[in-house]
Amino acid sequence: MKAKVLAALAATMAVSATCAFAANPFVDVPTDSWAYKSVVELADAGVIQGVDGEYFQGQRNITRYEAAEMVAKAMAHMDKATVEQRALINKLADEYADELNNLGVRVSNLENKVGNIKFTGDARLRYRYQHGNSTKENDNSWDYRIRLRGQAQVNDRVTATVGLSTDNQNFGHNGTTTDTNEDGDVYADIIKVDYNFGSPNWNLSLGRDAAYFLGGARSYAYQYGDTFDRAELKYNNGKIAVTAGYGKFKENAGNDFAVGTTKGMKVAGYDDMDGLKTGYGEIEAFFGNDSAAGVYYNQFSRAGGANDTVVDADADNLWGAYASINLGSKWNILANYESVDRDFSSTTGNAVSDPQVWIGKVTYGKAVMAQPKSWDIWVEYIDAEDGAFLGGSTGSWRNFGLMDNMTSWGVGIDYVFAKNAKFSVMQSFATDVKDHASDGVSGQNDEEITRAEFNFAF
C-alpha cells in the first residue's frame, strides 16, 4: 500500500495547482524533510487533508478508500497533467475502480477526458501441430506476435486509434518472414478515426481495423478475422444494433488450402482474400443476461485495386445468423449458421452449390484476463460443406484445411493464471472429411489439430 500511495503522490504532485508560498499545514512534517515540498503542494491543492487537519502521519499505512480519495482528487486536475501523468492516473483509477465507484466517481469519466491518451498492448506465444503438415511441425509449430495500441480522445466526439503489430513470427523462419507479411516487418494493423455524432448510440468508423469478423464479435467468427480497411456506420441503443459498411480484406493469413496440388499448398489465384471487397450489414438484438442474436449479409467484388481479377473461387454473397444465449452466470450456448453463394470449392476443386456451415459451441465458466484463477472449458461441433469457407484468415482457433468439407469436434480450456496472463489449449477430435478432391489425388489433411498458447495483456 505504501508503494501505491507514493505512486499516487508522484502522479498528482505535478498536476496540482500549487502556491509557491503555501504554508505547511502539518506539524509532523519538518521543513528539512525530503517530502516537505510535495506534501505542502498536495495539501494546498486539496489532494491530501491529513489526520485531524494537522497531522500527516507519513509512516502510517492508509486504506484503499483513502488512496481512492487521493486518486479521485488527482483526476480533478487531469487537464494540467502530462501524457505520462495521465497514464499513471489512469492506471491508478483502474486499480481502485471499485472504491472510486463507491465514492461516486466513475472511471469512465476519466477515460472520456479530452486529450486523454491510453496505451495498451498484448503478446502471444503459440504452438500449433498437425501430423503430416510440414508447415506445422517442429520449429514451424511455434510462432509469436506482439501488438501495441494507442487511443486518443481528440474531443468529445472524435477518437483516434493507431495499432502496430509484428504479425505472426514463425520460429522456423528465424523472424525473417511470416505467413501473411512476407517482409516480416512491423506494420500498422489499426489506423482509424471514430465519430459519435454527439450521441452514445451512433458511431462512424473510418480506416483500418485489426480484426473484422463476418457476423460480428459475438458470432463464432468462422470467416476472416484479420486486417480490414473500411467505412462503417453503427447504431446501438443497448437493445438493438444495426451496422452497415464497405471495405477491403487486407490479409490472407496463411489459411488458404489446396487445389490440384499436394496437401497444404496454396494455389495462386484461388481464395486470395487480399484485395477482395465487401459491402455488409448486420442486425443484432440484445436480451437479458447479456444474451444476443443476429443476422448478417455480405456481398463480394474485386472491381479495381489489388488482385482485381475475379477468380472461380470467389463467392458472390453470404448470409448468416447466430444466437448466443447465457444460462445463469456460468453457461453459454452459441449457434451459428452460414450459407455462401458459390459454385466452386478452393478446398477440393469440386463444383459446389451454395455450401452451408452449422456450428454449435457450449462454454462453462468465463476466463477474464483481469481476474486471476478465472477459467472456462468448452466443446464445439462443426458441420461444414465443401466450399463453405471463403479462405484466408479465420477468427476460429482452427486452420490448416480443417475449416470446411468436414465434420469435426473440438474441446478447449482457458485459464487465467495471473492478472492479464492466460493459458489456453485446444484439440480437435472425431474429424471426418466429406468429399474427395476433383483430381482424385490431392485433398485435405484430415489429421487432428493441437493448439496451445500463452496470451499476455498490458
Side-chain angles (χ1 to χ4, degrees), residues 297-314:
Y297 175 81
N298 287 72
Q299 188 173 48
F300 306 100
S301 70
R302 287 190 183 271
N307 301 319
D308 61 355
T309 301
V310 177
V311 297
D312 292 338
D314 280 348

Side-chain angles (χ1 to χ4, degrees), residues 97-112:
D98 292 339
E99 289 80 8
L100 287 169
N101 285 329
N102 289 336
L103 290 171
V105 180
R106 293 187 59 83
V107 176
S108 59
N109 291 338
L110 169 65
E111 295 173 348
N112 291 332

Side-chain angles (χ1 to χ4, degrees), residues 246-268:
Y246 182 81
K248 180 190 294 186
F249 301 96
K250 299 300 294 182
E251 296 285 353
N252 287 320
N255 287 326
D256 304 293
F257 184 55
V259 178
T261 63
T262 57
K263 297 179 182 180
M265 298 299 292
K266 177 181 178 292
V267 175

Side-chain angles (χ1 to χ4, degrees), residues 151-409:
Q151 185 177 79
Q153 191 75 37
V154 179
N155 54 49
D156 59 351
R157 295 192 179 191
V158 179
T159 302
T161 308
V162 175
L164 300 176
S165 175
T166 64
D167 212 341
N168 299 319
Q169 299 290 334
N170 189 298
F171 282 30
H173 296 160
N174 296 320
T176 57
T177 60
T178 70
D179 288 337
T180 60
N181 180 5
E182 294 182 357
D183 296 327
D185 293 334
V186 172
Y187 74 106
D189 62 340
I190 303 177
I191 309 176
K192 66 176 181 177
V193 175
D194 291 282
Y195 180 75
N196 63 23
F197 297 94
S199 167
N201 296 338
W202 288 93
N203 187 70
L204 174 64
S205 187
L206 304 173
R208 172 172 297 182
D209 209 351
Y212 165 62
F213 307 108
L214 277 67
R218 288 176 177 262
S219 70
Y220 181 79
Y222 178 71
Q223 308 280 11
Y224 204 57
D226 217 307
T227 311
F228 187 64
D229 294 348
R230 84 285 185 269
E232 179 181 283
L233 179 64
K234 186 168 189 173
Y235 172 80
N236 186 344
N237 65 8
K239 294 182 179 180
I240 63 168
V242 180
T243 305
Y246 182 81
K248 180 190 294 186
F249 301 96
K250 299 300 294 182
E251 296 285 353
N252 287 320
N255 287 326
D256 304 293
F257 184 55
V259 178
T261 63
T262 57
K263 297 179 182 180
M265 298 299 292
K266 177 181 178 292
V267 175
Y270 287 104
D271 66 342
D272 195 345
M273 296 291 287
D274 186 9
L276 185 65
K277 300 177 182 179
T278 183
Y280 59 95
E282 302 169 8
I283 300 176
E284 299 173 286
F286 309 113
F287 312 100
N289 203 20
D290 202 32
S291 297
V295 294
Y296 51 97
Y297 175 81
N298 287 72
Q299 188 173 48
F300 306 100
S301 70
R302 287 190 183 271
N307 301 319
D308 61 355
T309 301
V310 177
V311 297
D312 292 338
D314 280 348
D316 292 325
N317 53 66
L318 172 153
W319 77 272
Y322 81 89
S324 176
I325 308 300
N326 291 318
L327 303 177
S329 61
K330 297 291 186 180
W331 291 93
N332 174 266
I333 299 175
L334 173 66
N336 206 157
Y337 168 82
E338 286 184 2
S339 176
V340 183
D341 182 2
R342 191 183 199 183
D343 57 15
F344 181 86
S345 168
S346 56
T347 301
T348 62
N350 296 335
V352 297
S353 178
D354 299 337
Q356 305 173 60
V357 56
W358 295 86
I359 303 171
K361 183 176 181 180
V362 178
T363 304
Y364 177 79
K366 190 172 184 179
V368 180
M369 290 290 276
Q371 297 179 8
K373 297 184 180 180
S374 61
W375 59 277
D376 63 52
I377 187 169
W378 52 265
V379 62
E380 67 177 25
Y381 177 74
I382 294 183
D383 184 345
E385 294 180 350
D386 189 14
F389 183 55
L390 295 175
S393 183
T394 175
S396 170
W397 64 277
R398 295 170 176 267
N399 43 23
F400 321 142
L402 285 191
M403 291 301 299
D404 66 356
N405 190 39
M406 55 83 194
T407 59
S408 181
W409 289 84

